Amino acid sequence: MPGHDTQAGAAAVYRGMDRAALDAAYNNSAAVLDSAQWVSGWRDQSAVVRAMPQARLDVPYGVRPRERFDYFPCGAAKAPLFAFIHGGYWQRNEKETFAFVAEGPRAHGIDVATLGYTLAPDVSLTEIVAEVALALSFLSEHADEFGFDRDRIFVGGWSAGGHLTAAVSNHPAVRGGLPISGIFDLEPIALSYLDEKLRLSAAEITALSPLRNLSPPAAPLRLAVGGAELPELRRQSETFASEARARGLPVELIALAGHHHFSILDEIARPDGALVRELVTLVAGAT
């Protein structure tokens, strides 16, 4: 398909952008000059969370090496569960880096599981979505073992994890979702440098773009995006929310002024964070 040409050129490939401009429009790490320092800080914070004696680490939900999750209980019986999906454009990062997000929800009586999944190019995006769905099925089936309420499972994720959140929001176990800085239309991804490992097919763009699959029944979603994020990231969330609401679907958009693609996760990691409040609202609405 046209998006598989890796050479930048002057010709417009998407929304008036040439290949170089499109690549820059989705390069969050380059847009935030200290992005590496943010990720390093996350790893340090997450190491502390993972060292807690009550943490259950590397629980397998499938047979592949990265089909694992870490579980962080809040201490309450029959608590709701927040399953968090990490980002990295489906081709980098790992669950271990994102344990720090558990601290905000746990302070409000919500258990947290951070999900791992196999990265591209080792598997296709179709397989990645299937792995996340498998993790949710496993958690639902083993709710009694972990002590959470299987009727109150909520899913959330950041960046590529925001896409995966929306993509699995129709899973029967999911009561609501919190996509953070997500991707909802895969067409520009397929036309950019990101496709060098993803190798998205035309069928996947159609089937796996949440924007192209808006239909009830749908779990309520509360989308979040930073006001200082790249314009394309903001447009992705704004378009998805607008189209979903036009179809009568329970989707709301929260724009967090001043936050860029990395700082926005502070709002789920802090007990008083804006995204923790959104999660608590989702949980309350499903009770």
Side-chain angles (χ1 to χ4, degrees), residues 44-57 70-75 99-104 106-107 110-112:
D44 291 343
Q45 296 171 58
S46 293
V48 174
V49 175
R50 296 184 84 244
M52 295 189 307
Q54 63 267 45
R56 296 182 62 174
L57 306 180
D70 294 336
Y71 195 89
F72 306 101
C74 68
F100 76 99
V101 305
E103 292 305 87
R106 288 179 65 249
I110 301 170
D111 287 3
V112 176

Side-chain angles (χ1 to χ4, degrees), residues 61 63 101 110 202 277:
Y61 66 83
V63 298
V101 305
I110 301 170
R277 292 197 299 271

Side-chain angles (χ1 to χ4, degrees), residues 24-95:
Y26 281 89
N27 193 331
N28 295 297
S29 296
V32 179
L33 296 182
D34 62 346
S35 59
Q37 285 77 15
W38 278 93
V39 176
S40 177
W42 294 346
R43 291 189 175 118
D44 291 343
Q45 296 171 58
S46 293
V48 174
V49 175
R50 296 184 84 244
M52 295 189 307
Q54 63 267 45
R56 296 182 62 174
L57 306 180
D58 296 316
V59 181
Y61 66 83
V63 298
R64 290 171 173 161
R66 290 178 64 105
E67 291 180 337
R68 303 285 187 272
F69 63 86
D70 294 336
Y71 195 89
F72 306 101
C74 68
K78 290 292 184 180
L81 174 66
F82 180 54
F84 182 84
I85 312 166
H86 73 77
Y89 277 136
W90 311 274
Q91 54 196 270
R92 60 180 179 271
N93 291 332
E94 59 288 310
K95 64 178 174 58

Side-chain angles (χ1 to χ4, degrees), residues 90-285:
W90 311 274
Q91 54 196 270
R92 60 180 179 271
N93 291 332
E94 59 288 310
K95 64 178 174 58
E96 289 80 1
T97 298
F98 293 86
F100 76 99
V101 305
E103 292 305 87
R106 288 179 65 249
H108 292 266
I110 301 170
D111 287 3
V112 176
T114 52
L115 309 184
Y117 54 89
T118 309
L119 303 178
D122 291 341
V123 296
S124 68
L125 186 54
T126 298
E127 292 173 283
I128 292 172
V129 172
E131 286 188 355
V132 174
L134 178 64
L136 293 171
S137 295
F138 180 93
L139 283 162
S140 178
E141 292 162 6
H142 292 80
D144 292 341
E145 175 186 342
F146 289 91
F148 67 87
D149 185 351
R150 66 165 43 85
D151 293 324
R152 292 191 293 166
I153 297 177
F154 300 83
V155 63
W158 168 74
S159 198
H163 162 266
L164 293 169
T165 295
V168 300
S169 62
N170 61 350
H171 189 285
V174 172
R175 298 298 303 276
L178 184 67
I180 304 166
S181 306
I183 301 294
F184 305 99
D185 184 7
L186 295 169
E187 181 182 0
I189 304 302
L191 295 168
S192 76
Y193 75 102
L194 296 164
D195 199 50
E196 292 166 12
K197 290 185 178 180
L198 290 168
R199 307 299 292 179
L200 292 166
S201 68
E204 285 181 311
I205 294 169
T206 298
L208 303 180
S209 290
L211 181 62
R212 304 182 186 209
N213 295 278
L214 291 168
S215 61
L221 297 178
R222 301 183 79 86
L223 276 61
V225 68
E229 297 214 47
L230 286 167
E232 271 294 291
L233 269 291
R234 298 198 305 272
R235 185 190 65 79
Q236 286 260 358
S237 288
E238 290 163 359
T239 300
F240 180 81
S242 176
E243 292 292 329
R245 287 196 298 265
R247 288 165 173 77
L249 301 179
V251 174
E252 299 294 334
L253 175 63
I254 305 97
L256 299 180
H259 276 297
H260 57 61
H261 194 66
F262 295 83
S263 66
I264 194 170
L265 282 185
D266 282 352
E267 300 295 340
I268 191 68
R270 295 198 330 263
D272 64 346
L275 295 184
V276 174
R277 292 197 299 271
E278 295 297 331
L279 176 60
V280 169
T281 299
L282 267 176
V283 172

